[in-house]
Amino acid sequence: MRHLIVLLGDQLDLDSAAFDGFDPAVDAVWMAEVPAEATYAWSHKARLVIFLSAMRHFAETLRARGWTVQYRATGAHPHADLAGALAADLTQFKPQGVIAVEPGEWRLWHALRDTCAAAGVAYTQREDRHFLCPLPMFAAWMDGRKQPRMEHFYRRMRQHTGWLMRGTEPEGGQWNFDHDNRDSFGRDGPRPVPAPLRFPPDALTREVMAVVEHHYGDHPGGLAAFDWPVTRDEALEALDDFVTTRLPQFGQYQDAMWTGQPWLYHARLSAALNLKLLNPREVCEAALRAWRDGEAPLAAVEGFVRQILGWREYVRGLYFHRMPGYLDDNALGADQPLPALYWTGDTAMRCLSETVGDTLEHGYAHHIQRLMVTGLFALLLGVRPRAVHQWYLAVYVDAVEWVELPNTLGMSQFADGGVMASKPYVASGKYIQRMSNYCQGCRFDPALRTGPRACPFTTLYWDFLDRHRERFAGHPRLKMQIRNLDRLDEPALSALRAQAASLREDLP
Ligand code: FAD
Ligand code: SF4
């Protein structure tokens, strides 16, 4: 054997640099399902099924091309982790070299390199050209910047790609239409939203479901609703469905939430993108085409392109820039355990029971549910960032560390002290009341800070300001909120502190 091409579960891309120069006569592809990848974060069953099913479908595609795929399936080998499984096969096949593209998790960069070194086999790691901003380009952009900001990076990427540009100026005279993207649905709720295209499990996916139930039956979440795209053809259909039915309203209601409506106008494309079944270029170009053809407004298309060309590329750059230390960041010194309700949804707080419920049912919640419900509550409560990270990595079908960690530690928990977000995303229950219908029918009142009907978000919001008063008193975007806290007299502050302490003892 000449080259063994190591392919990880989130590298399912026929155009991958791993295949450059591939010669089926002398090269082979190596893929493995190992328990460690399913259990180091206690993965949702849907996350396991989407990864394993997409991997098995991809292996079939490669075999149909006449390529050799050495596939180590769950239960068919004795190895606990990737390093062990690879080491055994390097001994058996004795390839001249191993080739892989940049893994999406820092720990695997080392695991693959060290395993090959121990076996005395040359290891080549190639660029992951799925991304629009190669890591050296991001490093050059970061160089000398004290305070990196996504907006600056995004403008640089707009210029780099020429997308939504008129010469050197942004299309429509604005870089960003975010202020058009904050609508809630009002009391009557959303108009009927076109249901996203579903992909009922085929025979191979059903086989994988049985494997997951057998080996990982005690893992969180259910499979009854599983309908995610697991092949490139399905992912392309999902993209087309989003662009034609939901993209035109994407931006306007991006921050809105509604009971029983997990998808609203969201794309549902993150998992297909992160598995590399879809390429970010083709996804953005499909949206740009819809705008040019007059089928989607500029504000919606700009908002969507910003998520992918801006946020998605930015968080990847930051992740590799800040690893390995990023995992240990805890700028606010948060030390509480993650409440059990994150795994069960069992709580009287309706916003949390809805969001965790969607998460357990589908392996999905949309961005504002992740940021301003589950993320916000953990931040206000003061949960250890590492525990929050482990939860987000476990429960979403799109979770891979390069994208999950900066969003969780940086954007949602402010654990990096302001690298990813310029201020902590803190708000009281009134934000949730404004952006959703969750508070209707909840036994708490988002306007109340203390007392039996006080909304826990509101109590903990004021408590957060109180606990971090010194740190944020001079912060340009938080000092107004701290000034409001200063208006509370001593009895009000004592009552607030007592209520927050009792919440930490016993959550509703
Ligand atoms: P849409 O809302 O329709 O957005 C379109 C696309 O833009 C997404 O498919 C995604 O590829 C990209 N995108 C949007 N926001 C972000 C962002 N902040 N960072 C990176 N890409 C973005 N996204 C993941 O892909 N994997 C994760 O593990 C993940 N963890 C998150 C954890 C927290 C605490 C938060 C606040 C956000 C997280 N996100 C993560 C970002 C975002 O919530 C999801 O990408 C989005 O909800 C996926 O659903 P969608 O495809 O319907 O996206
Ligand atoms: Fe959530 Fe508070 Fe609203 Fe209840 S009242 S749904 S706990 S924000």
Side-chain angles (χ1 to χ4, degrees):
M1 184 183 292
R2 186 182 64 163
H3 293 144
L4 192 63
I5 313 299
V6 169
L7 212 60
L8 302 174
D10 63 340
Q11 297 179 335
L12 310 179
D13 174 8
L14 281 175
D15 294 327
S16 164
F19 301 134
D20 289 355
F22 186 86
D23 179 352
V26 285
D27 300 331
V29 177
W30 185 86
M31 301 171 81
E33 303 171 359
V34 291
E37 294 302 312
T39 51
Y40 89 103
W42 194 43
S43 287
H44 191 302
K45 288 177 190 163
R47 179 174 184 256
L48 296 175
V49 169
I50 198 171
F51 270 78
L52 300 189
S53 172
M55 283 169 72
R56 291 185 184 195
H57 279 94
F58 193 75
E60 279 194 346
T61 305
L62 297 180
R63 286 192 185 111
R65 292 183 149 200
W67 294 11
T68 302
V69 182
Q70 298 293 346
Y71 195 99
R72 303 289 164 255
T74 303
H77 66 89
H79 305 287
D81 58 18
L82 277 173
L86 181 59
D89 282 338
L90 292 182
T91 308
Q92 186 186 340
F93 298 122
K94 299 188 176 43
Q96 289 167 24
V98 165
I99 295 175
V101 293
E102 295 157 338
E105 303 212 351
W106 176 262
R107 72 195 160 90
L108 295 176
W109 285 45
H110 296 276
L112 296 184
R113 193 188 57 204
D114 295 350
T115 305
C116 292
V121 177
Y123 175 61
T124 308
Q125 184 170 286
R126 294 181 179 163
E127 180 191 324
D128 190 348
R129 60 181 176 224
H130 165 92
F131 292 96
L132 298 154
C133 180
L135 294 175
M137 181 175 156
F138 188 85
W141 179 80
M142 278 292 279
D143 198 23
R145 254 167 229 273
K146 280 208 186 83
Q147 192 66 82
R149 284 287 160 257
M150 196 295 284
E151 185 62 29
H152 302 151
F153 171 79
Y154 169 57
R155 291 180 189 188
R156 171 81 189 81
M157 291 303 288
R158 288 269 295 274
Q159 287 157 339
H160 178 66
T161 54
W163 289 345
L164 296 176
M165 296 297 293
R166 228 167 237 273
T168 54
E169 293 303 310
E171 210 46 86
Q174 274 169 244
W175 290 101
N176 185 317
F177 291 82
D178 214 16
H179 57 82
D180 297 348
N181 292 347
R182 299 270 157 83
D183 286 359
S184 58
F185 292 118
R187 286 197 75 80
D188 297 337
R191 279 172 296 160
V193 185
L197 203 58
R198 301 189 60 227
F199 299 93
D202 64 4
L204 190 51
T205 301
R206 288 197 300 276
E207 205 176 283
V208 169
M209 286 172 153
V211 168
V212 166
E213 289 291 6
H214 179 72
H215 289 268
Y216 306 110
D218 62 339
H219 279 227
L223 291 175
F226 189 95
D227 63 355
W228 293 99
V230 292
T231 64
R232 174 155 170 80
D233 286 349
E234 290 179 347
L236 285 169
E237 279 183 66
L239 170 61
D240 189 50
D241 172 60
F242 164 68
V243 170
T244 48
T245 64
R246 301 190 302 286
L247 174 65
Q249 268 78 42
F250 172 80
Q252 189 181 357
Y253 298 115
Q254 210 176 327
D255 289 3
M257 302 175 275
W258 203 260
T259 307
Q261 301 247 19
W263 324 114
L264 293 165
Y265 294 100
H266 291 274
R268 250 173 70 107
L269 292 175
S270 49
L273 273 162
N274 297 349
L275 294 171
K276 317 281 162 62
L277 298 175
L278 289 177
N279 186 284
R281 263 173 221 87
E282 70 192 344
V283 170
C284 289
E285 274 162 5
L288 293 169
R289 232 177 358 259
W291 168 65
R292 279 195 298 269
D293 294 348
E295 284 159 10
L298 178 59
V301 172
E302 186 283 317
F304 181 70
V305 167
R306 177 158 23 94
Q307 304 310 311
I308 294 183
L309 178 64
W311 281 113
R312 188 168 183 269
E313 296 288 326
Y314 184 66
V315 299
R316 177 183 185 249
L318 264 192
Y319 171 78
F320 284 107
H321 189 76
R322 291 186 64 82
M323 282 302 278
Y326 210 1
L327 266 175
D328 297 319
D329 280 358
N330 188 359
L332 299 180
D335 60 1
Q336 295 289 308
L338 187 79
L341 69 88
Y342 277 75
W343 299 106
T344 61
D346 189 8
T347 171
M349 294 177 276
R350 188 141 180 250
C351 52
L352 273 167
S353 68
E354 286 286 332
T355 300
V356 175
D358 287 346
T359 301
L360 294 175
E361 186 176 358
H362 301 287
Y364 179 92
H366 73 66
H367 186 68
I368 293 301
Q369 292 177 299
R370 297 187 204 194
L371 184 64
M372 298 308 287
V373 180
T374 41
L376 174 62
F377 195 71
L379 172 65
L380 296 178
L381 197 63
V383 177
R384 227 165 17 93
R386 188 97 177 218
V388 187
H389 151 64
Q390 278 161 347
W391 183 77
Y392 278 99
L393 189 59
V395 296
Y396 290 111
V397 288
D398 55 28
V400 187
E401 199 174 85
W402 65 264
V403 53
E404 176 278 325
L405 187 74
N407 271 299
T408 303
L409 248 63
M411 189 189 290
S412 114
Q413 301 301 299
F414 202 72
D416 61 12
V419 177
M420 172 88 176
S422 55
K423 73 173 185 77
Y425 282 92
V426 283
S428 72
K430 283 186 182 169
Y431 172 86
I432 294 173
Q433 182 183 39
R434 194 167 63 249
M435 297 312 298
S436 75
N437 66 341
Y438 293 151
C439 304
Q440 293 165 26
C442 179
R443 82 170 202 229
F444 302 108
D445 181 343
L448 298 179
R449 190 171 51 226
T450 50
R453 290 196 57 237
C455 163
F457 281 77
T458 303
T459 307
L460 292 169
Y461 161 74
W462 289 97
D463 173 70
F464 178 94
L465 296 179
D466 184 34
R467 288 189 294 119
H468 299 291
R469 183 193 294 254
E470 248 174 63
R471 182 180 187 111
F472 295 119
H475 192 292
R477 295 177 65 199
L478 276 186
K479 62 184 178 204
M480 277 301 291
Q481 300 182 42
I482 300 283
R483 261 185 230 147
N484 289 337
L485 176 76
D486 290 340
R487 295 204 185 98
L488 300 190
D489 59 18
E490 208 41 55
L493 273 179
S494 303
L496 170 70
R497 288 172 189 151
Q499 181 125 1
S502 81
L503 274 176
R504 287 199 175 83
E505 287 286 302
D506 188 16
L507 283 174

